[in-house]
């Protein structure tokens, strides 16, 4: 039997491990099962190239709880170790970097995720155990070894009578960690971290129903048998070639990832690259809503089938964090902080690869079945529009598949839209004006006025539209967007001015003064316009710039920098000087009647914009009934 001190001159590193990793001490199980998996996969490799005389067989990893003895066992049938290897890998290598670790991480260890940096994975066991034993038998023809350590730098190493190849780690669970002797807690951790590990993991037994024998009677009990309870799927869909998978395989895997999700995904993107880095995975587009606060953290990040995190910001471009699925890359470090990941060169390349891959997939789906793509547009547009805003490369590629639907349900790409409206919607300054609505019911009369002139009106109703059109206006040449209720249609797309007012300059001045006496200046800016005589007498519009700033402010960005923290609700009141009613107002003899006609006309215009509410609406209705009487 050997006794000795672990090769570390810092007097006691174990309290440091416990202290620094305490916030995440559940990962000990992930680390120990990862080690067991590595030992098994290394054996597989050695037997395949003839470097081991051992039979590989069908090895599995077993996790066992002995609640009475307060012990947790992790048993593998992998490579195993000789006494010499235990001395080397457990006592020396693990702590060869300990000095450096302490200097470098003692202030920031919690943030940096020290496990994995210096082969400390095994020692994470001491976060939950007061004593750890290793009983191991190498695949080489050498005696088994038994190592024990109680969390001080002292250890013992002696022979063991273990006859089967592999390693058993026994954790004597500490008083403050007895939660890890609960079956439910261990089951939860295995499901979280080890659900797709490449080696079968056994956790207890389960009862399986057998088919009834042919000669069985109705009343005979259904036969059952006890079988190993394997908690993982060692061959998940993302580890296979896309050519080996059917559409149903992708849908079944989605259900495996999200058992509580009842809606089918719209489509998936299979990632598979081996240069300049290794990356596999499957991303799913779920049905989206217009809510930008939808749950993120649904993409799971794995390293060689070991779960790392579901906070993938910085690895996956932000606009894709709304998707679901799995990304697996051996090039992503297992235990590092978020800030480290975001600065890592390989990770940045991964992020831009995923962006490109998603854009290419969207383009191919659009080309393969445009009709189907159009049907799904409302469910995916928020991701695409967000991507166009936040990722320059995605914006460039999006021209091929980003759609602009009209209020009548026709879908155009940008190029198609441009060619369709160029002739009619170019104004007198040679600028193309793209009209859009955000609510077909509320803006119905304005849409109809635009359609009467043969103009196309887009329906753009996602919460980031104001940001997106700003981006398009600064990127595309000589265009501007105007919401259809932003002004009278002739002002939105100004052609050569040919309109003649029925009113003289003197009458216009008189009308202007009259209106301004009655209409509150803090709410409405009055402008007189000569329009068609059958156009509405009063039209309320909101200046495009003001409204857009308010909208951008509500979804973040925009308004703040213009100092419009609390922008007042200002509207334009466009008064049609050619309307018969406006002529009547001007020619009415009594001031009281003039005021009543102005207020009634203003309230009708406000009503059409949904701006008449509360007491004002009650008064308007009462007044209208009085007029009928």
């Amino acid at each position: 039997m050997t006794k000795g001190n672990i090769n570390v001159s810092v007097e006691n590193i174990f309290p440091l491990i416990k202290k620094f990793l305490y916030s995440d001490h559940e990962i000990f199980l992930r680390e120990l099962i990862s080690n067991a998996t590595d030992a098994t996969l290394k054996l597989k490799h050695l037997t395949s190239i003839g470097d081991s005389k051992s039979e590989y067989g069908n090895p599995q990893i077993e996790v066992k709880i002995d609640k009475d003895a307060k012990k947790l066992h992790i048993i593998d049938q992998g490579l195993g170790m000789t006494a010499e290897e235990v001395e080397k890998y457990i006592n020396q290598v693990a702590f060869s970097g300990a000095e450096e670790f302490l200097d470098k991480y003692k202030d920031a260890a919690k943030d940096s995720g020290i496990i994995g940096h210096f082969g400390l994975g095994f020692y994470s066991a001491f976060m939950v155990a007061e004593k750890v034993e290793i009983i191991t038998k190498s695949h080489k023809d050498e005696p088994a070894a038994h190592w024990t350590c109680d969390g001080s730098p002292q250890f013992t190493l002696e022979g063991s009578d273990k006859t089967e190849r592999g390693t058993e780690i026994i954790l004597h669970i500490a008083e403050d960690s007895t939660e890890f002797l609960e079956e439910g807690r261990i089951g939860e951790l295995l499901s979280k971290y080890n659900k797709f590990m490449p080696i079968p993991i056994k956790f207890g037994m389960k009862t399986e129903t057998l088919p009834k024998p042919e000669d069985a009677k109705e009343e005979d009990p259904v036969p059952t048998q006890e079988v190993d309870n394997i908690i993982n799927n060692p061959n998940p869909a993302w580890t296979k070639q896309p050519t080996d998978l059917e559409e149903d395989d992708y849908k079944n895997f989605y259900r495996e990832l999200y058992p509580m999700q009842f809606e089918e995904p719209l489509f998936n993107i299979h990632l598979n690259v081996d240069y300049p880095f290794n990356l596999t995975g499957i991303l799913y587009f779920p049905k989206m809503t217009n809510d930008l606060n939808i749950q993120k953290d649904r993409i799971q990040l794995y390293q060689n089938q070991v779960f790392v995190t579901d906070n993938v910001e910085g690895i996956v471009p932000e606009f894709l964090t709304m998707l679901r699925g799995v990304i697996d890359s051996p090039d992503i470090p297992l235990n590092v902080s978020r800030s480290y990941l975001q600065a890592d060169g390989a990770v940045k390349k991964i992020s831009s690869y995923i962006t490109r891959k998603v854009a290419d997939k969207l383009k191919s789906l659009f080309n393969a079945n445009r009709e189907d793509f159009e049907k799904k547009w409302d469910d995916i547009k928020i991701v695409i529009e967000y991507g166009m805003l936040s990722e320059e490369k995605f914006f460039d590629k999006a021209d091929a598949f980003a759609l602009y639907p009209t209020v009548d349900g026709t879908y155009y790409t940008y190029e198609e839209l441009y060619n369709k409206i160029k002739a009619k919607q170019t104004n007198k300054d040679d600028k193309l004006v793209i009209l859009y609505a955000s609510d077909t019911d509320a803006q119905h009369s304005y849409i109809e006025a635009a359609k009467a002139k043969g103009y196309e009106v887009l329906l753009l109703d996602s919460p980031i539209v104001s940001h997106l059109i700003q981006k398009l206006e600064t990127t595309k040449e000589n265009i501007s967007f105007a919401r259809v209720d932003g002004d009278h249609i002739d002002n939105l797309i100004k052609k050569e001015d040919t309109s003649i007012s029925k009113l003289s300059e003197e009458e216009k001045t008189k009308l202007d003064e009259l209106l301004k006496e009655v209409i509150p200046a803090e709410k409405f800016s009055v402008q007189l316009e000569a329009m068609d005589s059958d156009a509405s007498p009063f039209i309320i519009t909101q200046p495009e710039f003001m409204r857009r700033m308010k909208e951008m402010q509500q979804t973040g960005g925009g308004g703040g920098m213009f100092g419009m923290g609390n922008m007042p609700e200002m509207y334009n009141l466009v008064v049609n000087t050619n309307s018969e009613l406006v002529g009547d107002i001007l020619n009415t003899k009594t001031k009281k009647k003039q005021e009543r006609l102005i207020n009634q006309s203003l309230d009708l215009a406000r009503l059409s914009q949904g701006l008449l509410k509360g007491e004002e609406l009650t008064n308007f209705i009462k007044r209208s009934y009085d007029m009928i009487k």
Side-chain angles (χ1 to χ4, degrees):
M1 174 167 136
T2 312
K3 285 191 176 186
N5 271 13
I6 291 168
N7 182 17
V8 53
S9 60
V10 176
E11 189 37 50
N12 198 340
I13 199 165
F14 296 104
L16 291 169
I17 288 177
K18 198 148 190 160
K19 180 181 162 195
F20 284 138
L21 292 173
Y22 197 74
S23 63
D24 202 11
H25 63 332
E26 66 176 37
I27 61 139
F28 81 92
L29 191 60
R30 178 189 81 179
E31 294 298 323
L32 296 177
I33 291 180
S34 293
N35 288 349
T37 303
D38 283 348
T40 312
L41 292 175
K42 278 175 184 155
L43 177 71
K44 185 179 187 180
H45 176 68
L46 292 180
T47 53
S48 72
I49 60 170
D51 269 14
S52 174
K53 298 199 168 47
S54 193
E55 282 288 318
Y56 181 66
N58 295 301
Q60 60 180 27
I61 294 163
E62 183 176 7
V63 178
K64 276 199 314 199
I65 297 170
D66 181 346
K67 201 166 179 180
D68 296 338
K70 294 190 177 172
K71 291 195 287 194
L72 181 68
H73 302 248
I74 293 104
I75 305 157
D76 71 57
Q77 295 159 6
L79 215 52
M81 289 182 280
T82 62
E84 196 182 331
E85 284 167 340
V86 171
E87 171 64 40
K88 182 179 172 186
Y89 294 118
I90 302 297
N91 296 337
Q92 291 169 19
V93 174
F95 284 100
S96 59
E99 302 300 308
E100 188 189 343
F101 147 65
L102 283 175
D103 289 344
K104 197 167 174 183
Y105 291 112
K106 59 175 177 255
D107 297 326
K110 210 168 219 171
D111 177 52
S112 305
I114 57 166
I115 290 224
H117 268 294
F118 299 104
L120 288 165
F122 163 71
Y123 281 94
S124 64
F126 286 98
M127 293 190 294
V128 300
E130 57 191 15
K131 180 167 101 175
V132 178
E133 297 178 68
I134 301 173
I135 302 168
T136 181
K137 170 103 172 74
S138 172
H139 68 115
K140 300 168 190 166
D141 188 17
E142 290 202 31
H146 185 174
W147 178 93
T148 311
C149 178
D150 63 0
S152 72
Q154 283 84 41
F155 69 89
T156 62
L157 180 59
E158 56 193 330
S160 158
D161 55 7
K162 179 176 168 67
T163 54
E164 289 167 6
R165 177 199 71 210
T167 300
E168 177 173 5
I169 293 177
I170 305 166
L171 277 62
H172 296 257
I173 298 295
E175 279 305 319
D176 62 0
S177 298
T178 52
E179 63 183 283
F180 299 111
L181 292 169
E182 299 300 328
E183 204 165 296
R185 181 73 171 117
I186 294 298
E188 174 199 325
L189 292 185
L190 290 171
S191 177
K192 177 175 176 180
Y193 291 110
N194 306 104
K195 196 172 174 178
F196 300 111
M197 294 288 276
I199 306 296
I201 299 167
K202 174 186 170 183
F203 183 50
M205 304 295 283
K206 65 178 178 184
T207 306
E208 206 172 66
T209 307
L210 294 170
K212 269 189 170 183
E214 282 180 23
D215 56 353
K217 297 189 179 74
E218 188 73 35
E219 61 275 13
D220 287 352
V222 176
T224 58
Q225 65 176 8
E226 289 290 294
V227 294
D228 290 349
N229 178 32
I230 302 298
I231 57 95
N232 60 325
N233 169 3
N235 303 300
W238 84 80
T239 61
K240 299 171 185 173
Q241 288 300 316
T243 46
D244 297 338
L245 295 167
E246 301 290 332
E247 197 50 43
D248 275 356
D249 297 319
Y250 287 111
K251 284 180 178 166
N252 291 337
F253 180 57
Y254 184 76
R255 285 187 208 106
E256 200 175 338
L257 282 173
Y258 309 106
M260 301 310 291
Q261 191 62 38
F262 302 112
E263 277 193 332
E264 295 279 320
L266 296 166
F267 47 79
N268 61 71
I269 296 169
H270 197 133
L271 305 165
N272 196 346
V273 65
D274 50 18
Y275 181 82
F277 45 79
N278 279 296
L279 177 88
T280 51
I282 299 169
L283 295 180
Y284 293 92
F285 269 78
K287 266 196 159 180
M288 295 288 174
T289 61
N290 267 349
D291 181 10
L292 272 177
N293 300 316
I294 48 178
Q295 195 175 353
K296 295 184 179 183
D297 298 346
R298 286 296 188 84
I299 294 178
Q300 299 174 9
L301 181 68
Y302 288 78
Q303 189 219 59
N304 289 330
Q305 294 174 240
V306 183
F307 176 79
V308 180
T309 179
D310 53 12
N311 176 358
V312 295
E313 273 177 53
I315 299 155
V316 172
E318 195 185 350
F319 76 101
L320 294 177
T321 56
M322 293 187 253
L323 301 188
R324 295 186 181 148
V326 164
I327 289 170
D328 188 336
S329 174
D331 295 334
I332 290 175
L334 243 188
N335 298 286
V336 284
S337 67
R338 191 109 319 264
S339 52
Y340 175 88
L341 273 180
Q342 285 163 346
D344 186 73
V347 170
K348 280 200 174 102
K349 282 188 194 133
I350 286 170
S351 175
S352 61
Y353 164 77
I354 293 170
T355 301
R356 192 177 77 242
K357 189 78 183 175
V358 168
D360 290 347
K361 176 73 175 189
L362 289 167
K363 184 181 176 180
S364 75
L365 285 165
F366 174 75
N367 291 340
N369 189 343
R370 177 166 181 163
E371 193 184 340
D372 185 56
F373 194 84
E374 287 179 359
K375 277 189 199 139
K376 289 173 176 166
W377 177 254
D378 271 351
D379 292 317
I380 61 173
K381 67 183 177 194
I382 193 85
V383 177
I384 293 172
E385 289 171 353
Y386 192 16
M388 289 168 74
L389 269 176
S390 56
E391 296 281 329
E392 212 53 58
K393 283 177 179 158
F394 188 80
F395 180 85
D396 296 340
K397 283 178 169 279
D399 262 354
F401 52 79
L403 293 177
Y404 300 87
T406 70
V407 289
D408 298 320
T410 308
Y411 291 81
Y412 295 111
T413 62
Y414 181 80
E415 192 180 352
E416 290 164 352
L417 178 70
Y418 184 88
N419 292 331
K420 178 85 168 62
I421 66 175
K422 187 169 53 176
K424 278 192 173 168
Q425 290 179 220
T426 302
N427 67 14
K428 63 185 176 63
D429 301 321
D430 220 27
K431 186 172 247 191
L432 182 69
V433 181
I434 301 171
L435 300 173
Y436 71 100
S438 58
D439 182 330
T440 49
D441 288 339
Q443 294 150 8
H444 184 266
S445 61
Y446 299 91
I447 293 167
E448 290 306 307
K451 282 161 77 172
K453 290 194 171 282
Y455 298 157
E456 287 283 0
V457 181
L458 300 181
L459 177 60
L460 303 177
D461 59 359
S462 72
I464 51 177
V465 156
S466 39
H467 295 274
L468 183 64
I469 59 185
Q470 199 92 339
K471 169 95 177 160
L472 288 160
E473 283 172 344
T474 52
T475 315
K476 308 287 185 189
E477 273 183 41
N478 215 19
I479 63 154
S480 72
F481 280 77
R483 199 166 87 179
V484 71
D485 58 345
D487 205 336
H488 181 261
I489 190 65
D490 292 340
N491 289 341
L492 291 177
I493 304 179
K494 272 191 168 22
K495 303 291 184 177
E496 294 308 324
D497 198 8
T498 54
S499 51
I500 298 163
S501 177
K502 289 178 181 174
L503 303 183
S504 65
E505 288 305 313
E506 194 181 327
E507 286 173 314
K508 281 200 268 190
T509 306
K510 188 180 168 192
L511 177 66
D512 193 45
E513 287 168 358
L514 181 61
L515 291 165
K516 284 177 176 165
E517 277 175 32
V518 180
I519 289 164
E522 69 277 7
K523 286 187 184 170
F524 296 99
S525 165
V526 176
Q527 40 185 96
L528 304 183
E529 299 274 353
M531 298 185 284
D532 291 343
S533 55
D534 59 356
S536 298
F538 282 30
I539 300 171
I540 292 174
T541 62
Q542 191 171 23
E544 177 78 16
F545 171 76
M546 296 279 280
R547 197 205 65 253
R548 216 186 275 185
M549 284 303 124
K550 269 191 98 67
E551 285 172 359
M552 286 167 81
Q553 206 177 5
Q554 280 158 9
T555 51
M561 42 185 170
F562 295 98
M564 297 178 177
N566 293 306
M567 283 167 62
E569 285 289 358
M570 270 299 286
Y571 294 94
N572 292 333
L573 178 65
V574 183
V575 178
N576 180 4
T577 59
N578 289 339
S579 157
E580 197 178 329
L581 176 63
V582 173
D584 288 348
I585 290 171
L586 191 61
N587 298 322
T588 296
K589 296 289 179 272
T590 71
K591 198 86 165 165
K592 200 166 185 184
K593 193 173 177 194
Q594 277 180 328
E595 279 183 21
R596 203 167 80 234
L597 284 171
I598 290 169
N599 279 324
Q600 191 71 0
S601 303
L602 175 64
D603 281 353
L604 280 165
R606 290 166 78 194
L607 190 66
S608 78
Q609 275 279 51
L611 295 172
L612 203 58
K613 295 185 178 102
E615 190 183 352
E616 291 176 323
L617 178 59
T618 308
N619 293 340
F620 166 76
I621 292 167
K622 187 173 181 300
R623 190 168 71 232
S624 301
Y625 279 134
D626 290 344
M627 288 168 99
I628 294 168
K629 280 191 271 180

